């Protein structure tokens, strides 16, 4: 009886190299079972062990590759039982990582058609088809596990065979193309959007290569050229343009190619103005591969801009004040006239409210009625008394109109205003002049008739006086009659001077000398408690005036000043050379710009109230002492174009600085 035992052992050869051996030993026994000996067989299995180790390492490497590859790999044997599915396959199917191939392969799949509507049949599954012996190439499939996102896979594989041709099984490799499909869909959507933008763009839009060949074009470009898109594509754009336009366009295109930067230019073709926007498209090397050109028809825009420029120029250069506010009354625009009239700067006005011009001359009801009118969509017209930046009041006639948008909503108010301050002042002066002329005409007529009567009285009184002796009791009475008649005649002369019907005797006059001579008489006439001060210019020009009338003017003003200073004070007489400019001359009737001599008389008396001041030029106003005597001298000067108490015209003198003070 034998008992065998196998054991792997290592032996060392004579050269001291180790070898792997398989020791097979047995015990030899006799028929009674007693051990009679031992025998053993030693077989060298070193090469076999090395091959097994190599296979093990290859298996580990293959498993590591299969587990770490991102493509899913699944295999089955010849019986259709799953023998392999790697980590990627488990992730695709939402299987636990520790899952091992077992059971029939169909039990581990929940596969759907690419549209995701029905469960795939077994014959539609790539592995099944490969198991059946079919070569599978790039079959698209969608896997939709219950608790994981659906994945789109691209499967390829086929059957496996033994060396002798017997079926061994099948293998399929599945590549995840979910992201690629999403990217392709995004690209498709972008292309659809771009196509819709190109085709739906109301302006011409096309792509061309660097030689001018049209690659893509929309319907609007074809319409502008009077052709179809198919005829434009693959044709040269330059051949469709007039030679001069084609030459200029080629220059701009070459600039975009040379600089690789966008270029914008305008050209005119077929009577239309086109605003072209050229955008270079670069390849991977940074070179211009093609260009996208957007051509915007701006013909109507340019015409509208011309109209707007003309309108803006007209508004800017308008002699009227133009002010625009928003619907809340905030000022958004003013033309230069508003700045010139009000004295406010543009930055002080824009963003403010028109109430900055309010003078307080209008009550709140006035502004409430104005606002009620314009917010109701109606036009308001009226007259403002407004205030300038320096506090000066001015009058302006205004028309305020609402501006509506396309929906009919009021969005702005436009005020067109005219400064009528000078007009009102000139009208007042004209009315005063007409009134004085009427009074002068009346006074002249009365003076003539009265003078005729006085002539008779003076004639007869002189005859009677010549016949009487001074000791005659009636002589004194006759002399009083004669004196009264002569005083009446003097009054007549003044009335005739007032009515401009007496002869003036102007001459070249040194006004300073005239005043200094008159001061001597005024010193005896004016009370001592009134000081007389003269401020006379050293270089005063000579004037053309009547010396007698000048004396009368100054005497009457001195008498009025004396009456205004019963407690004493100071009477000041001044002269100076001045220049009246156009702006000042416009404020006075018959005044002309030029060089003048200013004569100014002032006192420290109690002055006049507003009511009395408004009647200062009326000769018969009872509150004004000496008014008739003053006006009998001053009115002819006004008639000659010389403003009251403003300088008498210099007959000849050197030009002076127009910036000198005005009276």
């Amino acid at each position: 009886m034998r008992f065998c035992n196998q054991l792997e052992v290592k032996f060392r050869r004579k050269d001291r190299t180790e070898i792997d051996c398989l020791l097979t030993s047995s015990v030899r026994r006799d028929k009674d079972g007693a051990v009679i000996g031992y025998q053993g067989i030693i077989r060298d299995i070193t090469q076999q062990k090395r091959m097994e180790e190599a296979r093990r390492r290859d298996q580990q490497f293959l498993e590591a590759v299969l587990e770490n590859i991102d493509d899913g790999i699944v295999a089955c044997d010849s019986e259709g039982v799953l023998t392999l599915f790697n980590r990627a396959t488990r992730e695709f199917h939402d299987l636990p990582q520790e899952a091992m191939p077992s059971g029939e392969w169909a039990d581990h799949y929940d596969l759907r058609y690419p549209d995701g509507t029905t469960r795939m049949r077994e014959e539609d599954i790539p592995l099944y088809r490969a198991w059946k012996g079919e070569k599978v190439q790039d079959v698209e499939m969608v896997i939709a596990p219950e608790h994981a996102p659906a994945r789109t896979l691209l499967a390829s594989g086929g059957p496996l065979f033994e060396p002798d041709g017997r079926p061994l099984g099948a293998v399929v490799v599945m590549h995840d193309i979910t992201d690629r499909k999403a990217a392709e869909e995004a690209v498709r959507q972008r292309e659809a959007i771009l196509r819709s933008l190109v085709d739906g763009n109301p302006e011409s839009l096309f792509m061309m290569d660097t030689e001018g060949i049209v690659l893509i074009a929309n319907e609007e470009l074809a319409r502008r050229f009077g052709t179809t898109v198919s005829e434009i594509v693959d044709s040269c754009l330059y051949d469709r343009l007039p030679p001069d336009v084609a030459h200029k366009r080629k220059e701009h295109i070459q600039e975009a190619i040379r600089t690789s930067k966008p270029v914008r230019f305008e050209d005119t073709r077929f009577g239309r103005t086109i605003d072209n926007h050229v955008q270079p498209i670069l390849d991977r090397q940074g070179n211009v591969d093609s260009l996208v050109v957007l051509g915007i028809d701006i013909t109507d825009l340019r015409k509208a801009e011309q109209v707007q420029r003309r309108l803006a120029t007209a508004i800017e250069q308008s002699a009227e004040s133009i002010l625009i506010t928003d619907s809340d009354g905030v000022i958004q625009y003013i033309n230069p006239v508003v700045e010139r009239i009000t004295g406010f700067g543009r930055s002080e006005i824009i963003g403010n409210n028109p109430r900055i011009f309010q003078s307080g001359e209008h009550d709140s009801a006035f502004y409430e009625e104005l606002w009620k009118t314009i917010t109701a969509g109606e036009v308001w017209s009226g007259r403002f008394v407004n205030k300038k930046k320096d506090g000066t009041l001015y009058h302006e006639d205004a028309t305020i109109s609402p501006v509506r948008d396309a929906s009919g909503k009021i969005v702005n108010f436009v005020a067109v205003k005219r400064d009528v301050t000078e007009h009102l002042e000139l009208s007042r002066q004209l009315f005063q002049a007409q009134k004085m002329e009427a009074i002068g005409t009346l006074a002249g007529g009365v003076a003539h008739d009265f003078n005729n009567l006085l002539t008779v009285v003076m004639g007869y009184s002189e005859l009677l006086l010549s016949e009487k002796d001074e000791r005659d009791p009636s002589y004194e009475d006759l002399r009083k009659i004669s004196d009264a008649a002569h005083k009446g005649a003097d009054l007549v002369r003044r009335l005739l001077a007032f009515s401009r019907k007496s002869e003036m005797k102007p001459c070249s006059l040194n006004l300073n000398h005239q005043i200094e001579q008159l001061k001597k008489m005024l010193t005896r006439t004016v009370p001592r408690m009134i000081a007389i001060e003269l401020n006379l210019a050293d270089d005063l020009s000579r004037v053309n005036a009547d010396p007698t009338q000048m004396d009368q003017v100054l005497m009457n003003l001195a008498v009025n000043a004396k009456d205004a200073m019963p407690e004493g004070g100071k009477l000041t007489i001044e002269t100076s050379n001045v220049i009246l400019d156009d702006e000042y001359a416009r404020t006075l009737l018959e005044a002309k710009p030029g060089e003048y001599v200013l004569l100014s008389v002032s006192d420290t008396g109690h002055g006049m109230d507003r009511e009395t001041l408004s009647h200062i030029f009326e000769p018969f106003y009872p509150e004004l002492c000496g008014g008739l005597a003053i006006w009998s001298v001053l009115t002819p000067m006004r008639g000659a174009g010389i403003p009251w108490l403003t300088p008498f015209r210099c007959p000849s003198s050197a030009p002076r600085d127009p910036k000198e003070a005005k009276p």
Side-chain angles (χ1 to χ4, degrees):
M1 181 177 180
R2 294 180 179 180
F3 177 75
C4 298
N5 185 28
Q6 289 185 337
L7 178 66
E8 289 186 7
V9 295
K10 289 185 179 292
F11 290 98
R12 183 175 294 167
R13 293 178 175 177
K14 184 178 180 180
D15 60 4
R16 305 190 67 80
T17 59
E18 291 186 349
I19 60 173
D20 292 306
C21 297
L22 180 64
L23 174 61
T24 303
S25 62
S26 61
V27 179
R28 294 181 60 84
R29 297 178 185 274
D30 58 16
K31 60 181 181 179
D32 296 325
V35 175
I36 60 175
Y38 297 92
Q39 70 177 21
I41 301 174
I42 300 174
R43 185 161 58 94
D44 186 355
I45 61 172
T46 303
Q47 188 64 28
Q48 178 183 347
K49 291 286 287 184
R50 290 176 179 174
M51 292 178 63
E52 289 177 354
E53 179 63 22
R55 283 196 299 269
R56 186 186 63 78
R57 288 197 301 269
D58 290 344
Q59 182 68 26
Q60 289 178 341
F61 176 76
L62 179 60
E63 290 177 356
V65 170
L66 291 176
E67 283 297 306
N68 289 280
I69 197 171
D70 290 332
D71 288 338
I73 300 176
V74 61
C76 67
D77 60 16
S78 59
E79 301 298 325
V81 177
L82 285 175
T83 58
L84 169 68
F85 57 89
N86 64 349
R87 173 191 57 80
T89 303
R90 292 193 295 271
E91 291 177 354
F92 292 161
H93 296 83
D94 194 28
L95 296 175
Q97 292 300 318
E98 63 274 10
M100 297 295 292
S102 64
E104 293 189 4
W105 57 268
D107 295 335
H108 298 277
Y109 286 85
D110 182 15
L111 306 179
R112 301 183 184 278
Y113 285 110
D115 61 5
T117 55
T118 58
R119 182 179 178 84
M120 296 179 69
R121 298 169 299 175
E122 291 180 349
E123 56 267 27
D124 293 328
I125 299 175
L127 184 59
Y128 179 85
R129 291 162 58 184
W131 180 54
K132 288 295 185 179
E134 180 182 348
K135 181 70 174 179
V136 178
Q137 183 67 34
D138 294 336
V139 174
E140 189 174 308
M141 54 190 291
V142 176
I143 296 180
E146 183 177 358
H147 301 295
R151 312 295 297 178
T152 302
L153 307 177
L154 193 65
S156 297
L160 300 175
F161 298 97
E162 294 282 5
D164 58 2
R166 288 181 296 112
L168 180 63
V171 64
V172 169
V173 178
M174 296 172 290
H175 180 62
D176 187 354
I177 60 172
T178 304
D179 294 338
R180 192 186 81 184
K181 292 290 290 184
E184 289 175 352
E185 178 62 20
V187 170
R188 188 193 66 78
Q189 291 180 356
R190 285 197 297 270
E191 288 178 348
I193 292 173
L194 290 175
R195 187 74 256 178
S196 64
L197 290 175
V198 171
D199 294 337
N201 199 308
E203 306 294 343
S204 65
L205 182 63
F206 62 96
M207 178 184 289
M208 60 184 289
D209 64 14
T210 56
E211 300 300 322
I213 303 301
V214 179
L215 306 176
I216 300 174
N218 67 351
E219 293 290 345
E220 178 59 22
L221 180 68
R223 187 193 67 78
R224 292 182 183 179
F225 282 108
T227 183
T228 62
V229 172
S230 59
E231 291 182 352
I232 289 182
V233 173
D234 296 331
S235 68
C236 182
L237 177 72
Y238 304 133
D239 295 340
R240 297 180 176 274
L241 297 171
D244 57 335
V245 176
H247 177 71
K248 292 181 179 178
R249 171 164 290 208
K250 188 176 295 185
E251 288 182 346
H252 292 298
I253 295 297
Q254 290 301 318
E255 179 186 352
I257 295 173
R258 185 177 63 258
T259 62
S260 300
K261 294 181 179 180
V263 172
R264 180 178 179 180
F265 63 93
E266 292 183 12
D267 59 25
T268 302
R269 58 178 185 266
F270 312 119
R272 309 295 293 180
T273 301
I274 307 300
D275 183 17
N276 298 281
H277 300 252
V278 181
Q279 177 64 51
I281 299 177
L282 308 181
D283 58 18
R284 293 182 181 274
Q285 289 72 38
N287 301 318
V288 176
D289 176 70
S290 56
L291 306 105
V292 174
V293 182
L294 173 64
I296 303 174
D297 189 337
I298 58 173
T299 306
D300 296 336
L301 176 62
R302 287 289 179 263
K303 292 179 180 179
E305 288 177 348
Q306 291 177 357
V307 173
Q308 289 179 346
R309 280 196 296 269
R310 285 194 293 267
L311 179 60
T313 301
I315 292 176
E316 287 288 309
Q317 299 182 7
S318 172
E320 312 294 340
S321 299
I322 299 177
L323 184 148
I324 301 176
T325 74
D326 61 15
S327 57
D328 295 324
V330 178
I331 300 173
Q332 296 180 323
Y333 170 82
I334 60 169
N335 68 345
V337 178
V338 177
E339 295 181 88
R340 179 175 58 81
I341 291 178
T342 65
F344 287 99
R346 180 178 295 268
S347 60
E348 296 176 283
I349 299 176
I350 300 297
N352 217 319
N353 191 283
R355 67 173 59 95
I356 65 173
F357 306 127
Q358 289 184 8
S359 62
E361 296 291 321
H362 304 292
D363 57 16
S364 59
F366 174 85
Y367 295 107
E368 289 174 1
E369 181 62 25
L370 183 157
W371 186 251
K372 179 180 178 182
T373 300
I374 60 177
T375 52
E378 300 177 2
V379 177
W380 180 90
S381 296
R383 177 169 294 171
F384 288 112
V385 179
N386 281 338
K387 183 171 61 176
K388 300 182 181 181
K389 184 177 181 180
D390 61 6
T392 305
L393 300 184
Y394 66 100
H395 300 257
E396 55 184 1
D397 288 339
T399 299
I400 304 177
S401 306
V403 178
R404 302 177 185 271
D405 60 12
S407 64
K409 179 183 177 182
I410 296 176
V411 293
N412 294 101
F413 297 109
V414 178
V416 180
K417 303 184 289 183
R418 171 177 293 182
D419 187 353
V420 295
T421 307
E422 291 184 7
H423 172 73
L424 293 177
E425 176 61 22
L426 292 176
S427 297
R428 186 193 63 78
Q429 293 181 26
L430 177 61
F431 174 74
Q432 182 67 30
Q434 291 172 339
K435 182 170 66 173
M436 298 306 297
E437 184 177 0
I439 295 174
T441 300
L442 175 62
V446 172
H448 275 295
D449 293 340
F450 188 46
N451 189 57
N452 292 336
L453 296 175
L454 289 176
T455 300
V456 174
V457 173
M458 287 189 295
Y460 280 107
S461 63
E462 291 294 335
L463 288 174
L464 291 173
L465 283 173
S466 65
E467 296 175 354
K468 295 288 184 179
D469 186 273
E470 292 184 2
R471 294 187 298 272
D472 191 313
S474 61
Y475 183 86
E476 186 62 27
D477 294 334
L478 289 174
R479 190 180 62 78
K480 290 180 179 179
I481 292 173
S482 177
D483 290 343
H486 281 88
K487 289 181 180 179
D490 183 63
L491 178 59
V492 167
R493 282 194 300 272
R494 295 192 182 191
L495 285 172
L496 290 174
F498 173 75
S499 62
R500 304 182 185 182
K501 294 184 179 180
S502 65
E503 183 180 358
M504 294 178 60
K505 297 179 180 180
C507 63
S508 179
L509 183 64
N510 185 329
L511 197 56
N512 284 350
H513 178 71
Q514 192 78 10
I515 294 171
E516 288 171 348
Q517 293 298 319
L518 184 63
K519 180 183 178 182
K520 299 176 182 178
M521 181 169 52
L522 290 177
T523 304
R524 297 191 297 267
T525 305
V526 175
R528 294 181 180 274
M529 56 188 176
I530 296 177
I532 300 176
E533 180 179 324
L534 302 183
N535 294 326
L536 308 179
D538 294 334
D539 59 343
L540 192 68
S541 301
R542 298 182 71 86
V543 298
N544 190 31
D546 187 326
T548 302
Q549 289 189 348
M550 289 306 306
D551 288 344
Q552 290 178 348
V553 168
L554 291 171
M555 284 295 295
N556 280 283
L557 289 175
V559 171
N560 282 342
K562 179 195 70 171
D563 294 339
M565 297 183 290
E567 304 298 328
K570 181 170 68 174
L571 173 65
T572 303
I573 302 176
E574 301 176 86
T575 59
S576 62
N577 295 316
V578 295
I579 294 177
L580 301 187
D581 57 18
D582 292 334
E583 181 180 355
Y584 180 77
R586 285 197 302 267
T587 63
L588 294 170
L589 286 174
E590 302 180 6
K592 297 179 181 179
E595 297 178 342
Y596 287 84
V597 169
L598 172 65
L599 170 61
S600 173
V601 180
S602 59
D603 61 63
T604 58
H606 54 68
M608 293 176 280
D609 58 24
R610 183 181 295 273
E611 175 63 21
T612 303
L613 189 62
S614 65
H615 297 281
I616 191 172
F617 296 128
E618 298 180 11
F620 303 114
Y621 190 67
E623 299 297 327
L624 293 174
C625 300
L628 177 59
I630 294 174
W631 272 100
S632 66
V633 177
L634 294 184
T635 302
M637 297 181 188
R638 289 174 55 86
I642 304 173
W644 178 66
L645 287 186
T646 48
F648 303 104
R649 189 66 178 270
C650 298
S652 63
S653 59
R656 301 186 183 276
D657 185 358
K659 295 182 180 179
E660 293 183 22
K662 295 176 289 188

